[in-house]
Amino acid sequence: MANGSSDNQASNQMWGGRFASGPDAIMEEINASIDFDKKLYAEDITGSIAHATMLAKQGIITESDRDQIVAGLTTIRGEIEAGTFTFSRKLEDIHMNVEARLANLIGAAAGRLHTARSRNDQVALDFRLWVKAELKRTETALTKLISAFLTRAEEHAETVMPGFTHLQTAQPVTFGHHCMAYVEMFGRDRERVRHAIEHLDESPIGAAALAGTPYPIDRHMTASALGFREPTRNSIDTVSDRDFALEFLSVAAITATHLSRLAEEIVIWSTPQFGFIRLSDAFSTGSSIMPQKKNPDAAELVRAKTGRINGSLIALLTVMKGLPLAYSKDMQEDKEQVFDAAESLELALAAMTGMMLDLTVRTDRMKEAAGSGYSTATDLADWLVREAGLPFREAHHITGRAVALAEKRGCTLSELTLDELKAINPVINNGIYSVLTVEASVASRQSFGGTAPSQVRAQIAYWQKRL
């Protein structure tokens, strides 16, 4: 007895205080997924109802069994949604929790539900249904964000601001044009979402463990009932495929990157040094010690969410990279990454949509900054090419000398006298001053997709129809 007690104590010490009962407790801890996959309860029940309905139609189970199964599953769904269902970690996952409760409710008929399927194709179905629905929610959220940008672009099609490269003033643009750049970005994200939905739109149920089933099932029937385009075409690939989850995370990571770039601009633009925008109290916080501070916390948190989403993508890629076909338990690690990324992306999209509709654009500060840094220098060079027939490289050199002179004098290009400009090159005449204002610069950019207000409005009209 003493030796047995000593051995048990040593075992407990080896496994650690949390796992007082030894290896069995550790196995339960690492194996159970119910803490997170209970999120799939609706998809699990929907899939089971479709499966039972098909089994009855094919004569594999009786109509009486089907009716009992459907009634029992409907009761379980009500219990879960009412918060009265008891989830058990000993039953591992959502599938076994539902099946055990169904057996309690209807008896032997519950055991016939799992005919011609496996937990492998069952979890693949549940997860696909959930990701498909989440992608549709993402598409809706992106549409709202794009709509918010179109609203601001329409308001500010003529509002001039500095355009930047290397975060240095480059050429004048309009704020409307800048907004439309994000419309293009998030528009591509929305297309990626739609492509991801198209790629995953195949039903896994009926692939069973990995080899299919000998029962005369109708996979096309269940695919149609569950809203899929068609059933999957290879049972091995079906249970081992998580491309749909990876594609969702990839789309989420690219979208989050775009959100992060926008968040960075909001942070910069809201500083006193820029002062291009003001955020309301709804999307800002104060400082605990500095009463003058107004921090763009919502934008900063959106920027930070990108790290979580990117991390989820890398985590699942790493899980999947070394798995032989078909199913391996490693794939249980897929859901938490997707659930976390989806929650982060939903929140970031909602916050950014709110910020874009909420922020106040300071047109005076934007216009003031638009002319800084000799932003119309390219217009001077273009004028020399168009009006004086000079090669662009020569015009570029002449303009560089004009910029150097303006820097030396501490003035803008338009403040240089005609004599000073003629001294640089005698071909320059009084017409040069017509292109040296930011308004003239912006208005001249009439090429398709350019920053001229007429072009901006044309792109707004295009996107309004497309949306």
Side-chain angles (χ1 to χ4, degrees):
M1 289 291 292
N3 287 340
S5 175
S6 174
D7 289 345
N8 186 51
Q9 184 177 12
S11 175
N12 288 345
Q13 288 173 350
M14 179 176 69
W15 293 114
R18 184 176 180 188
F19 304 104
S21 58
D24 289 347
I26 286 185
M27 187 57 197
E28 179 180 314
E29 185 72 17
I30 197 171
N31 192 48
S33 60
I34 188 60
D35 293 342
F36 53 85
D37 70 16
K38 61 186 176 184
K39 187 186 286 282
L40 299 173
Y41 79 89
E43 289 77 13
D44 194 70
I45 291 171
T46 297
S48 291
I49 289 174
H51 184 65
T53 302
M54 179 275 296
L55 291 177
K57 180 178 178 295
Q58 297 298 104
I60 299 169
I61 65 173
T62 67
E63 292 184 358
S64 174
D65 285 340
R66 175 202 63 201
D67 293 344
Q68 290 182 72
I69 289 168
V70 171
L73 290 171
T74 302
T75 297
I76 292 169
R77 177 157 45 200
E79 290 175 348
I80 294 174
E81 291 174 353
T84 60
F85 187 94
T86 301
F87 293 100
S88 169
R89 299 185 89 246
K90 292 185 181 300
L91 292 170
E92 296 183 19
D93 56 30
I94 186 61
H95 325 297
M96 297 306 294
N97 270 262
V98 170
E99 187 172 322
R101 177 59 178 148
L102 187 63
N104 290 337
L105 287 171
I106 67 172
R112 298 186 180 94
L113 172 60
H114 210 54
T115 307
R117 76 175 184 185
S118 160
R119 274 197 291 178
N120 292 355
D121 62 338
Q122 190 178 358
V123 68
L125 171 65
D126 295 358
F127 201 21
R128 275 188 190 237
L129 285 171
W130 192 92
V131 171
K132 184 179 180 181
E134 183 61 28
L135 282 164
K136 289 182 177 180
R137 286 190 287 271
T138 303
E139 181 182 8
T140 298
L142 280 165
T143 300
K144 290 179 179 177
L145 179 57
I146 292 168
S147 180
F149 269 105
L150 289 175
T151 297
R152 301 323 298 263
E154 201 162 24
E155 293 170 354
H156 295 283
E158 297 187 20
T159 299
V160 292
M161 67 173 288
F164 299 95
T165 60
H166 308 277
L167 204 55
Q168 305 294 313
T169 300
Q171 292 176 290
V173 296
T174 67
F175 183 58
H177 192 53
H178 198 97
C179 287
M180 292 304 294
Y182 282 106
V183 169
E184 294 290 332
M185 285 189 207
F186 294 121
R188 291 193 296 273
D189 293 331
R190 196 173 70 145
E191 286 303 303
R192 277 185 278 269
V193 167
R194 290 174 171 177
H195 292 156
I197 292 172
E198 182 182 351
H199 295 160
L200 70 73
D201 207 15
E202 299 175 343
S203 172
I205 198 69
L210 81 160
T213 176
Y215 296 94
I217 61 173
D218 185 347
R219 294 190 63 210
H220 288 84
M221 177 183 171
T222 48
S224 177
L226 293 166
F228 288 105
R229 181 181 64 248
E230 60 186 341
T232 54
R233 294 178 178 273
N234 183 282
S235 58
I236 294 176
D237 176 63
T238 298
V239 298
S240 57
D241 168 36
R242 289 299 182 269
D243 286 3
F244 63 92
L246 288 168
E247 193 160 6
F248 168 77
L249 290 173
S250 177
V251 170
I254 296 171
T255 303
T257 298
H258 292 155
L259 288 168
S260 185
R261 295 182 72 179
L262 174 58
E264 174 72 5
E265 293 205 308
I266 288 174
V267 170
I268 292 171
W269 291 347
S270 63
T271 61
Q273 289 77 13
F274 273 73
F276 287 1
I277 63 169
R278 286 196 191 94
L279 289 174
S280 77
D281 293 347
F283 293 97
S284 307
T285 64
S287 165
S288 63
I289 190 173
M290 295 168 284
Q292 84 282 8
K293 291 289 295 299
K294 190 172 186 179
N295 302 321
D297 283 12
E300 291 171 355
L301 289 167
V302 166
R303 188 173 57 187
K305 293 289 184 188
T306 307
R308 292 181 66 143
I309 294 169
N310 289 352
S312 293
L313 172 59
I314 295 301
L316 187 53
L317 283 168
T318 305
V319 166
M320 297 302 297
K321 73 174 183 63
L323 298 187
L325 299 178
Y327 180 83
S328 296
K329 193 72 169 182
D330 311 51
M331 292 159 72
Q332 183 169 289
E333 291 294 312
D334 55 2
K335 294 165 203 66
E336 285 182 286
Q337 305 302 332
V338 170
F339 293 160
D340 185 79
E343 183 178 337
S344 295
L345 184 61
E346 279 188 33
L347 187 56
L349 284 167
M352 193 56 75
T353 302
M355 274 187 281
M356 284 310 302
L357 292 172
D358 172 82
L359 60 83
T360 300
V361 179
R362 298 188 62 188
T363 58
D364 57 333
R365 290 295 295 269
M366 283 188 173
K367 182 176 180 180
E368 180 185 351
S372 65
Y374 308 102
S375 64
T376 57
T378 305
D379 297 277
L380 194 158
D382 288 336
W383 184 91
L384 289 168
V385 171
R386 288 195 315 271
E387 302 300 324
L390 298 180
F392 183 80
R393 286 301 171 199
E394 184 179 347
H396 186 282
H397 179 72
I398 292 168
T399 301
R401 290 176 60 194
V403 169
L405 177 60
E407 282 183 329
K408 183 178 179 181
R409 282 197 50 208
C411 67
T412 66
L413 287 173
S414 62
E415 290 172 336
L416 291 173
T417 68
L418 184 58
D419 288 339
E420 287 173 322
L421 289 169
K422 278 183 168 293
I424 295 172
N425 193 291
V427 301
I428 297 175
N429 60 47
N430 202 53
I432 194 70
Y433 293 105
S434 66
V435 301
L436 295 182
T437 66
V438 293
E439 290 84 1
S441 175
V442 163
S444 71
R445 308 292 165 177
Q446 293 282 350
S447 57
F448 184 82
T451 192
S454 60
Q455 282 296 319
V456 172
R457 291 191 179 98
Q459 294 306 319
I460 292 170
Y462 165 80
W463 272 100
Q464 286 172 335
K465 289 180 181 179
R466 186 173 174 183
L467 212 59

